[in-house]
Amino acid sequence: MPSLYRLHRAALCAAVFGIAAISTASAEEIIIGAATAQTGGLAPYDQPALAGLRMSLDELNAKGGLGGKYTVKLLIKDTRSDTAQTATVAQELIDAGAKIMITPCDADPSISAGQLTQPLGIPTLTLCGSAPVLTGAVGDVMFGTYPADNVQATAVADFAVSEGKKKVFLLTSPDSTYTANLPEYFGKVFEKKGGAIVGRGTFSMGQPDFSAEITNIKGLADKPDLIMTAAYEPDFPAFMQQLRGAGVTIPVYGADAIGTPTIKALGKLVDGVVYTSAGYAEPGSKLEAFNAAFTKYAGHAPESTYEVNGYEIGLILDQAVKTAGSDDPKAIRDAIAGLKDFDGITGKITYAGTDRMPLRPVALMRYEGGEGKHVQTLIPDAADVPAP
Amino acid sequence: MIAQQIINAVSLGGVYALLALGLAIVFSIVGLINFAHGELMTLSGYALLASLVLGFPFPVAVLVAVSCGALAAVAMERIAFRPMRGASVTSLLLTSFAVSSLLKVVFQNGISARPQAVAMAGWMTGAFSFGDFTIGVGPSISIVVSALALIALEVFLRRSVTGTAMRAAAEDFDVVRLMGIPASRIIATAFLLSGLLAGLAAMLWVAQRASVDPLMGFTPVLKAFIAAVVGGLGSLPGAVAGGFLLGIIEVLLQATLPGAIAPYRDAIVLSGVIAVLLVRPQGLIPAVRAQRS
């Protein structure tokens, strides 16, 4: 069928010329590797964040790519929420040519991926890993994006002190950096501002039974007026259920990891629980507009602020490539490290002068009647924030 | 406070005992440690959630959930284990791991990787006071349900023909078959009972944890396995004893260990298990098996 053949050739010619025509505008592609959990315990955190990132990259690609110049090709591989598997897929992504690496919402797998990207100088950003020790453990290519644990803890402690709380019980788990350190940061600030730590308890993640720990809390001679923990699902619902079930009504405060639909759906059980978030969608705010746009993009409303945080990672990368003026990983790294008062969706984001954990606002929220109510948004005083 | 910790221990031990019994019943008859037992719990948990979302009253939802666990166990036997009948212990074990992994992925991709909240009725988080100590409604229900389930199972095994056949099959399956009892019926009943126990345990588990997630079956099946081994693999009284022992040790350690050593709790528990097995290699109450030369 010659006519069809000719047609093919014509199409081929058009395609070739088309590409040539485009190539003057943007022939370049930049590969971003995303080593993130699609399965396992981190998946509920990584997936929303990744959805936000994809949205921003899709939008940026429609405008020509990062810095208007480099079309992004996002390669995603599943880490199965496993630290060793994260290193394996990070290596695969590096081999595939990734010039920027995105890592899971937790310090330990992010560090394992960072060990591989650090010697190559590939800028690496964790989706919502918030342990401030994370960047120091890897080196100058590693960036946090979410408000750091010590910053969040300071915000919650400031609030607790302002409410007149005096005595706190800290519930930690040595199983992750987040659950081990965040309540301790809280304790440091709380003590410095006149509060007292009247007891400490530990749990193992996935532990079925909190009754012994709860009985210990009930038996404390010096009764706490607050319990601070960084436990998250499924441990946090279990702890709350058993705590309230044992007749203990002491308020419980936590941090960002309990700002999820699961915890919200617990209803009355979590009434009064204070937690943190990367932002709050006030009417007319950029975040409210983002939430509407995301709902249109994904077909469902954002579950938390992890989506907007992922979206902001895309904006940060865009700005960094613009500043760097190239796709050289080292230049991009330097540009991210130099960001100052960058206008994000949730507020101003600054890396300059930090240990690559950003300075950015923290929103305090409180569950009431199955809804997360905004309490206040603040940037804690840098002098109050305890060292990692 | 000591009385309180004893209640905690009995409550946790009761759940472990139900779980270990579920494993032991199947093991005593087919020689299979069913590592997909935990996924039966997960399935019951999701069935409870679905029933509540559909607006069923709480008791009906619990009934639906427990039945789902039991039916799923029978289906699991029919689909995955019956074709493997007579296979080596290793093959059966690997099959159970395969079923477990498969179900986890189905839950994760089909429902959600995120835990789903199961808001329990308000009275479940209540507590009543006796003098100067309070008992939670949750732990009390847990203790009562475990006790009733253990008694009902005992009655079934002692008083019914099928129950008697099952006890006989645990000792010598071949002879029971020679007596004209169909093997498939015995095995299906064993799975049905283990599914029922898994469903009940799931209700108590979810009531204490207020959420269901795709991976929630992992910890309980591990605890049940430890309890069954300590008690004596395949021995039903052993499984119950092992379950209570494990629950008591865990609560005791959690209550008394100083903060610095507390993270090593699980290591200490498992060391205890090794110690028990060194003294009694067949477990606390070894299973009775017919010896044939």
Side-chain angles (χ1 to χ4, degrees), chain B residues 161-191:
Chain B
V161 176
T162 315
T164 312
M166 288 182 68
R167 281 188 296 130
E171 283 186 30
D172 196 329
F173 202 178
D174 292 332
V175 170
V176 173
R177 293 179 75 174
L178 286 174
M179 309 286 274
I181 308 259
S184 295
R185 202 175 84 202
I186 298 285
I187 294 176
T189 313
F191 272 91

PDB file of all heavy atoms in Angstrom, chain B residues 161-191:
ATOM      1  N   VAL B 161     -19.312 -35.520  68.031  1.00  0.00           N
ATOM      2  CA  VAL B 161     -18.637 -36.597  67.295  1.00  0.00           C
ATOM      3  C   VAL B 161     -17.480 -36.019  66.487  1.00  0.00           C
ATOM      4  O   VAL B 161     -16.357 -36.532  66.512  1.00  0.00           O
ATOM      5  CB  VAL B 161     -19.639 -37.310  66.353  1.00  0.00           C
ATOM      6  CG1 VAL B 161     -18.914 -38.360  65.514  1.00  0.00           C
ATOM      7  CG2 VAL B 161     -20.751 -37.944  67.161  1.00  0.00           C
ATOM      8  N   THR B 162     -17.760 -34.905  65.781  1.00  0.00           N
ATOM      9  CA  THR B 162     -16.706 -34.287  64.988  1.00  0.00           C
ATOM     10  C   THR B 162     -15.534 -33.888  65.886  1.00  0.00           C
ATOM     11  O   THR B 162     -14.369 -34.079  65.539  1.00  0.00           O
ATOM     12  CB  THR B 162     -17.245 -33.030  64.259  1.00  0.00           C
ATOM     13  OG1 THR B 162     -18.506 -33.354  63.691  1.00  0.00           O
ATOM     14  CG2 THR B 162     -16.301 -32.579  63.187  1.00  0.00           C
ATOM     15  N   GLY B 163     -15.893 -33.341  67.068  1.00  0.00           N
ATOM     16  CA  GLY B 163     -14.852 -32.926  67.996  1.00  0.00           C
ATOM     17  C   GLY B 163     -14.002 -34.111  68.426  1.00  0.00           C
ATOM     18  O   GLY B 163     -12.768 -34.032  68.448  1.00  0.00           O
ATOM     19  N   THR B 164     -14.656 -35.199  68.752  1.00  0.00           N
ATOM     20  CA  THR B 164     -13.927 -36.396  69.163  1.00  0.00           C
ATOM     21  C   THR B 164     -13.036 -36.876  68.013  1.00  0.00           C
ATOM     22  O   THR B 164     -11.877 -37.227  68.218  1.00  0.00           O
ATOM     23  CB  THR B 164     -14.921 -37.516  69.553  1.00  0.00           C
ATOM     24  OG1 THR B 164     -15.889 -36.934  70.420  1.00  0.00           O
ATOM     25  CG2 THR B 164     -14.219 -38.663  70.229  1.00  0.00           C
ATOM     26  N   ALA B 165     -13.624 -36.867  66.804  1.00  0.00           N
ATOM     27  CA  ALA B 165     -12.849 -37.305  65.637  1.00  0.00           C
ATOM     28  C   ALA B 165     -11.625 -36.413  65.455  1.00  0.00           C
ATOM     29  O   ALA B 165     -10.538 -36.895  65.094  1.00  0.00           O
ATOM     30  CB  ALA B 165     -13.720 -37.255  64.385  1.00  0.00           C
ATOM     31  N   MET B 166     -11.798 -35.130  65.719  1.00  0.00           N
ATOM     32  CA  MET B 166     -10.672 -34.218  65.558  1.00  0.00           C
ATOM     33  C   MET B 166      -9.579 -34.491  66.566  1.00  0.00           C
ATOM     34  O   MET B 166      -8.390 -34.461  66.243  1.00  0.00           O
ATOM     35  CB  MET B 166     -11.145 -32.765  65.681  1.00  0.00           C
ATOM     36  CG  MET B 166     -11.954 -32.333  64.474  1.00  0.00           C
ATOM     37  SD  MET B 166     -12.442 -30.635  64.604  1.00  0.00           S
ATOM     38  CE  MET B 166     -10.865 -29.856  64.440  1.00  0.00           C
ATOM     39  N   ARG B 167      -9.998 -34.769  67.794  1.00  0.00           N
ATOM     40  CA  ARG B 167      -8.984 -35.081  68.807  1.00  0.00           C
ATOM     41  C   ARG B 167      -8.263 -36.363  68.434  1.00  0.00           C
ATOM     42  O   ARG B 167      -7.046 -36.477  68.574  1.00  0.00           O
ATOM     43  CB  ARG B 167      -9.630 -35.206  70.189  1.00  0.00           C
ATOM     44  CG  ARG B 167      -9.912 -33.835  70.827  1.00  0.00           C
ATOM     45  CD  ARG B 167     -10.362 -33.979  72.250  1.00  0.00           C
ATOM     46  NE  ARG B 167     -11.630 -34.697  72.334  1.00  0.00           N
ATOM     47  CZ  ARG B 167     -11.841 -35.737  73.135  1.00  0.00           C
ATOM     48  NH1 ARG B 167     -10.905 -36.164  73.945  1.00  0.00           N
ATOM     49  NH2 ARG B 167     -13.019 -36.344  73.135  1.00  0.00           N
ATOM     50  N   ALA B 168      -9.027 -37.327  67.927  1.00  0.00           N
ATOM     51  CA  ALA B 168      -8.422 -38.593  67.519  1.00  0.00           C
ATOM     52  C   ALA B 168      -7.478 -38.356  66.328  1.00  0.00           C
ATOM     53  O   ALA B 168      -6.371 -38.899  66.273  1.00  0.00           O
ATOM     54  CB  ALA B 168      -9.516 -39.585  67.135  1.00  0.00           C
ATOM     55  N   ALA B 169      -7.933 -37.495  65.378  1.00  0.00           N
ATOM     56  CA  ALA B 169      -7.116 -37.234  64.189  1.00  0.00           C
ATOM     57  C   ALA B 169      -5.793 -36.595  64.571  1.00  0.00           C
ATOM     58  O   ALA B 169      -4.761 -36.835  63.941  1.00  0.00           O
ATOM     59  CB  ALA B 169      -7.875 -36.329  63.222  1.00  0.00           C
ATOM     60  N   ALA B 170      -5.821 -35.772  65.628  1.00  0.00           N
ATOM     61  CA  ALA B 170      -4.588 -35.126  66.062  1.00  0.00           C
ATOM     62  C   ALA B 170      -3.593 -36.171  66.550  1.00  0.00           C
ATOM     63  O   ALA B 170      -2.380 -36.010  66.416  1.00  0.00           O
ATOM     64  CB  ALA B 170      -4.878 -34.118  67.161  1.00  0.00           C
ATOM     65  N   GLU B 171      -4.121 -37.275  67.113  1.00  0.00           N
ATOM     66  CA  GLU B 171      -3.221 -38.308  67.609  1.00  0.00           C
ATOM     67  C   GLU B 171      -2.792 -39.248  66.498  1.00  0.00           C
ATOM     68  O   GLU B 171      -1.632 -39.607  66.388  1.00  0.00           O
ATOM     69  CB  GLU B 171      -3.890 -39.093  68.742  1.00  0.00           C
ATOM     70  CG  GLU B 171      -3.895 -38.324  70.041  1.00  0.00           C
ATOM     71  CD  GLU B 171      -4.422 -39.160  71.199  1.00  0.00           C
ATOM     72  OE1 GLU B 171      -4.253 -40.395  71.168  1.00  0.00           O
ATOM     73  OE2 GLU B 171      -5.020 -38.573  72.116  1.00  0.00           O
ATOM     74  N   ASP B 172      -3.731 -39.673  65.681  1.00  0.00           N
ATOM     75  CA  ASP B 172      -3.399 -40.608  64.589  1.00  0.00           C
ATOM     76  C   ASP B 172      -4.433 -40.478  63.481  1.00  0.00           C
ATOM     77  O   ASP B 172      -5.494 -41.085  63.531  1.00  0.00           O
ATOM     78  CB  ASP B 172      -3.342 -42.033  65.128  1.00  0.00           C
ATOM     79  CG  ASP B 172      -2.618 -42.936  64.139  1.00  0.00           C
ATOM     80  OD1 ASP B 172      -2.712 -42.665  62.912  1.00  0.00           O
ATOM     81  OD2 ASP B 172      -1.960 -43.893  64.586  1.00  0.00           O
ATOM     82  N   PHE B 173      -4.101 -39.667  62.476  1.00  0.00           N
ATOM     83  CA  PHE B 173      -5.052 -39.347  61.426  1.00  0.00           C
ATOM     84  C   PHE B 173      -5.430 -40.602  60.617  1.00  0.00           C
ATOM     85  O   PHE B 173      -6.585 -40.820  60.254  1.00  0.00           O
ATOM     86  CB  PHE B 173      -4.464 -38.265  60.515  1.00  0.00           C
ATOM     87  CG  PHE B 173      -5.505 -37.493  59.749  1.00  0.00           C
ATOM     88  CD1 PHE B 173      -5.121 -36.452  58.921  1.00  0.00           C
ATOM     89  CD2 PHE B 173      -6.859 -37.785  59.844  1.00  0.00           C
ATOM     90  CE1 PHE B 173      -6.062 -35.718  58.215  1.00  0.00           C
ATOM     91  CE2 PHE B 173      -7.801 -37.054  59.152  1.00  0.00           C
ATOM     92  CZ  PHE B 173      -7.406 -36.033  58.329  1.00  0.00           C
ATOM     93  N   ASP B 174      -4.435 -41.468  60.355  1.00  0.00           N
ATOM     94  CA  ASP B 174      -4.695 -42.627  59.495  1.00  0.00           C
ATOM     95  C   ASP B 174      -5.759 -43.544  60.093  1.00  0.00           C
ATOM     96  O   ASP B 174      -6.655 -44.012  59.392  1.00  0.00           O
ATOM     97  CB  ASP B 174      -3.397 -43.406  59.269  1.00  0.00           C
ATOM     98  CG  ASP B 174      -2.431 -42.582  58.428  1.00  0.00           C
ATOM     99  OD1 ASP B 174      -2.932 -41.751  57.630  1.00  0.00           O
ATOM    100  OD2 ASP B 174      -1.217 -42.744  58.577  1.00  0.00           O
ATOM    101  N   VAL B 175      -5.659 -43.760  61.386  1.00  0.00           N
ATOM    102  CA  VAL B 175      -6.626 -44.648  62.034  1.00  0.00           C
ATOM    103  C   VAL B 175      -8.028 -44.038  61.963  1.00  0.00           C
ATOM    104  O   VAL B 175      -9.012 -44.723  61.678  1.00  0.00           O
ATOM    105  CB  VAL B 175      -6.215 -44.922  63.501  1.00  0.00           C
ATOM    106  CG1 VAL B 175      -7.340 -45.632  64.243  1.00  0.00           C
ATOM    107  CG2 VAL B 175      -4.945 -45.752  63.535  1.00  0.00           C
ATOM    108  N   VAL B 176      -8.116 -42.720  62.160  1.00  0.00           N
ATOM    109  CA  VAL B 176      -9.425 -42.056  62.095  1.00  0.00           C
ATOM    110  C   VAL B 176     -10.035 -42.254  60.709  1.00  0.00           C
ATOM    111  O   VAL B 176     -11.223 -42.531  60.566  1.00  0.00           O
ATOM    112  CB  VAL B 176      -9.274 -40.556  62.435  1.00  0.00           C
ATOM    113  CG1 VAL B 176     -10.586 -39.828  62.194  1.00  0.00           C
ATOM    114  CG2 VAL B 176      -8.840 -40.399  63.876  1.00  0.00           C
ATOM    115  N   ARG B 177      -9.210 -42.182  59.680  1.00  0.00           N
ATOM    116  CA  ARG B 177      -9.726 -42.382  58.321  1.00  0.00           C
ATOM    117  C   ARG B 177     -10.181 -43.822  58.132  1.00  0.00           C
ATOM    118  O   ARG B 177     -11.183 -44.088  57.466  1.00  0.00           O
ATOM    119  CB  ARG B 177      -8.656 -42.028  57.300  1.00  0.00           C
ATOM    120  CG  ARG B 177      -8.327 -40.534  57.320  1.00  0.00           C
ATOM    121  CD  ARG B 177      -7.256 -40.167  56.352  1.00  0.00           C
ATOM    122  NE  ARG B 177      -7.762 -40.168  54.986  1.00  0.00           N
ATOM    123  CZ  ARG B 177      -7.038 -39.762  53.946  1.00  0.00           C
ATOM    124  NH1 ARG B 177      -5.787 -39.360  54.129  1.00  0.00           N
ATOM    125  NH2 ARG B 177      -7.538 -39.783  52.745  1.00  0.00           N
ATOM    126  N   LEU B 178      -9.446 -44.749  58.736  1.00  0.00           N
ATOM    127  CA  LEU B 178      -9.836 -46.165  58.636  1.00  0.00           C
ATOM    128  C   LEU B 178     -11.185 -46.413  59.313  1.00  0.00           C
ATOM    129  O   LEU B 178     -11.912 -47.319  58.947  1.00  0.00           O
ATOM    130  CB  LEU B 178      -8.763 -47.049  59.292  1.00  0.00           C
ATOM    131  CG  LEU B 178      -7.481 -47.197  58.473  1.00  0.00           C
ATOM    132  CD1 LEU B 178      -6.432 -47.952  59.272  1.00  0.00           C
ATOM    133  CD2 LEU B 178      -7.762 -47.911  57.159  1.00  0.00           C
ATOM    134  N   MET B 179     -11.503 -45.568  60.315  1.00  0.00           N
ATOM    135  CA  MET B 179     -12.780 -45.706  61.007  1.00  0.00           C
ATOM    136  C   MET B 179     -13.930 -45.151  60.176  1.00  0.00           C
ATOM    137  O   MET B 179     -15.077 -45.143  60.626  1.00  0.00           O
ATOM    138  CB  MET B 179     -12.772 -44.963  62.361  1.00  0.00           C
ATOM    139  CG  MET B 179     -11.607 -45.288  63.243  1.00  0.00           C
ATOM    140  SD  MET B 179     -11.720 -46.901  63.986  1.00  0.00           S
ATOM    141  CE  MET B 179     -12.677 -46.523  65.430  1.00  0.00           C
ATOM    142  N   GLY B 180     -13.633 -44.599  59.001  1.00  0.00           N
ATOM    143  CA  GLY B 180     -14.688 -44.144  58.111  1.00  0.00           C
ATOM    144  C   GLY B 180     -15.047 -42.681  58.247  1.00  0.00           C
ATOM    145  O   GLY B 180     -16.098 -42.247  57.797  1.00  0.00           O
ATOM    146  N   ILE B 181     -14.183 -41.905  58.906  1.00  0.00           N
ATOM    147  CA  ILE B 181     -14.461 -40.455  59.008  1.00  0.00           C
ATOM    148  C   ILE B 181     -13.785 -39.777  57.819  1.00  0.00           C
ATOM    149  O   ILE B 181     -12.581 -39.977  57.608  1.00  0.00           O
ATOM    150  CB  ILE B 181     -13.887 -39.887  60.318  1.00  0.00           C
ATOM    151  CG1 ILE B 181     -14.365 -40.708  61.499  1.00  0.00           C
ATOM    152  CG2 ILE B 181     -14.195 -38.395  60.429  1.00  0.00           C
ATOM    153  CD1 ILE B 181     -15.483 -40.143  62.293  1.00  0.00           C
ATOM    154  N   PRO B 182     -14.525 -38.981  57.019  1.00  0.00           N
ATOM    155  CA  PRO B 182     -13.909 -38.362  55.847  1.00  0.00           C
ATOM    156  C   PRO B 182     -12.839 -37.337  56.242  1.00  0.00           C
ATOM    157  O   PRO B 182     -13.096 -36.464  57.073  1.00  0.00           O
ATOM    158  CB  PRO B 182     -15.073 -37.660  55.126  1.00  0.00           C
ATOM    159  CG  PRO B 182     -16.286 -37.914  55.925  1.00  0.00           C
ATOM    160  CD  PRO B 182     -15.936 -38.644  57.166  1.00  0.00           C
ATOM    161  N   ALA B 183     -11.655 -37.488  55.637  1.00  0.00           N
ATOM    162  CA  ALA B 183     -10.530 -36.622  55.985  1.00  0.00           C
ATOM    163  C   ALA B 183     -10.847 -35.162  55.677  1.00  0.00           C
ATOM    164  O   ALA B 183     -10.553 -34.268  56.469  1.00  0.00           O
ATOM    165  CB  ALA B 183      -9.291 -37.056  55.231  1.00  0.00           C
ATOM    166  N   SER B 184     -11.489 -34.936  54.504  1.00  0.00           N
ATOM    167  CA  SER B 184     -11.734 -33.557  54.085  1.00  0.00           C
ATOM    168  C   SER B 184     -12.600 -32.823  55.091  1.00  0.00           C
ATOM    169  O   SER B 184     -12.419 -31.630  55.332  1.00  0.00           O
ATOM    170  CB  SER B 184     -12.419 -33.525  52.720  1.00  0.00           C
ATOM    171  OG  SER B 184     -11.531 -34.041  51.773  1.00  0.00           O
ATOM    172  N   ARG B 185     -13.567 -33.586  55.689  1.00  0.00           N
ATOM    173  CA  ARG B 185     -14.470 -32.924  56.622  1.00  0.00           C
ATOM    174  C   ARG B 185     -13.709 -32.492  57.881  1.00  0.00           C
ATOM    175  O   ARG B 185     -13.898 -31.402  58.400  1.00  0.00           O
ATOM    176  CB  ARG B 185     -15.628 -33.854  56.986  1.00  0.00           C
ATOM    177  CG  ARG B 185     -16.833 -33.066  57.487  1.00  0.00           C
ATOM    178  CD  ARG B 185     -18.006 -33.954  57.738  1.00  0.00           C
ATOM    179  NE  ARG B 185     -17.926 -34.553  59.064  1.00  0.00           N
ATOM    180  CZ  ARG B 185     -18.567 -35.670  59.414  1.00  0.00           C
ATOM    181  NH1 ARG B 185     -19.304 -36.317  58.535  1.00  0.00           N
ATOM    182  NH2 ARG B 185     -18.461 -36.143  60.626  1.00  0.00           N
ATOM    183  N   ILE B 186     -12.841 -33.395  58.347  1.00  0.00           N
ATOM    184  CA  ILE B 186     -12.072 -33.072  59.555  1.00  0.00           C
ATOM    185  C   ILE B 186     -11.199 -31.845  59.300  1.00  0.00           C
ATOM    186  O   ILE B 186     -11.148 -30.908  60.105  1.00  0.00           O
ATOM    187  CB  ILE B 186     -11.160 -34.262  59.924  1.00  0.00           C
ATOM    188  CG1 ILE B 186     -12.011 -35.491  60.244  1.00  0.00           C
ATOM    189  CG2 ILE B 186     -10.238 -33.909  61.078  1.00  0.00           C
ATOM    190  CD1 ILE B 186     -12.671 -35.435  61.570  1.00  0.00           C
ATOM    191  N   ILE B 187     -10.530 -31.863  58.146  1.00  0.00           N
ATOM    192  CA  ILE B 187      -9.602 -30.763  57.862  1.00  0.00           C
ATOM    193  C   ILE B 187     -10.369 -29.457  57.689  1.00  0.00           C
ATOM    194  O   ILE B 187      -9.978 -28.415  58.234  1.00  0.00           O
ATOM    195  CB  ILE B 187      -8.754 -31.093  56.611  1.00  0.00           C
ATOM    196  CG1 ILE B 187      -7.864 -32.289  56.935  1.00  0.00           C
ATOM    197  CG2 ILE B 187      -7.929 -29.894  56.188  1.00  0.00           C
ATOM    198  CD1 ILE B 187      -7.044 -32.795  55.788  1.00  0.00           C
ATOM    199  N   ALA B 188     -11.509 -29.539  56.954  1.00  0.00           N
ATOM    200  CA  ALA B 188     -12.296 -28.312  56.748  1.00  0.00           C
ATOM    201  C   ALA B 188     -12.781 -27.766  58.082  1.00  0.00           C
ATOM    202  O   ALA B 188     -12.771 -26.555  58.318  1.00  0.00           O
ATOM    203  CB  ALA B 188     -13.464 -28.594  55.817  1.00  0.00           C
ATOM    204  N   THR B 189     -13.203 -28.680  58.993  1.00  0.00           N
ATOM    205  CA  THR B 189     -13.672 -28.223  60.303  1.00  0.00           C
ATOM    206  C   THR B 189     -12.532 -27.556  61.075  1.00  0.00           C
ATOM    207  O   THR B 189     -12.727 -26.541  61.747  1.00  0.00           O
ATOM    208  CB  THR B 189     -14.224 -29.402  61.126  1.00  0.00           C
ATOM    209  OG1 THR B 189     -15.095 -30.157  60.289  1.00  0.00           O
ATOM    210  CG2 THR B 189     -14.980 -28.920  62.336  1.00  0.00           C
ATOM    211  N   ALA B 190     -11.338 -28.147  60.975  1.00  0.00           N
ATOM    212  CA  ALA B 190     -10.193 -27.563  61.675  1.00  0.00           C
ATOM    213  C   ALA B 190      -9.959 -26.135  61.199  1.00  0.00           C
ATOM    214  O   ALA B 190      -9.751 -25.218  62.003  1.00  0.00           O
ATOM    215  CB  ALA B 190      -8.945 -28.407  61.438  1.00  0.00           C
ATOM    216  N   PHE B 191     -10.015 -25.942  59.875  1.00  0.00           N
ATOM    217  CA  PHE B 191      -9.814 -24.590  59.342  1.00  0.00           C
ATOM    218  C   PHE B 191     -10.955 -23.653  59.752  1.00  0.00           C
ATOM    219  O   PHE B 191     -10.725 -22.497  60.076  1.00  0.00           O
ATOM    220  CB  PHE B 191      -9.665 -24.623  57.819  1.00  0.00           C
ATOM    221  CG  PHE B 191      -8.233 -24.826  57.389  1.00  0.00           C
ATOM    222  CD1 PHE B 191      -7.736 -26.099  57.169  1.00  0.00           C
ATOM    223  CD2 PHE B 191      -7.382 -23.743  57.219  1.00  0.00           C
ATOM    224  CE1 PHE B 191      -6.420 -26.295  56.794  1.00  0.00           C
ATOM    225  CE2 PHE B 191      -6.062 -23.930  56.844  1.00  0.00           C
ATOM    226  CZ  PHE B 191      -5.579 -25.208  56.633  1.00  0.00           C
TER     227      PHE B 191
END
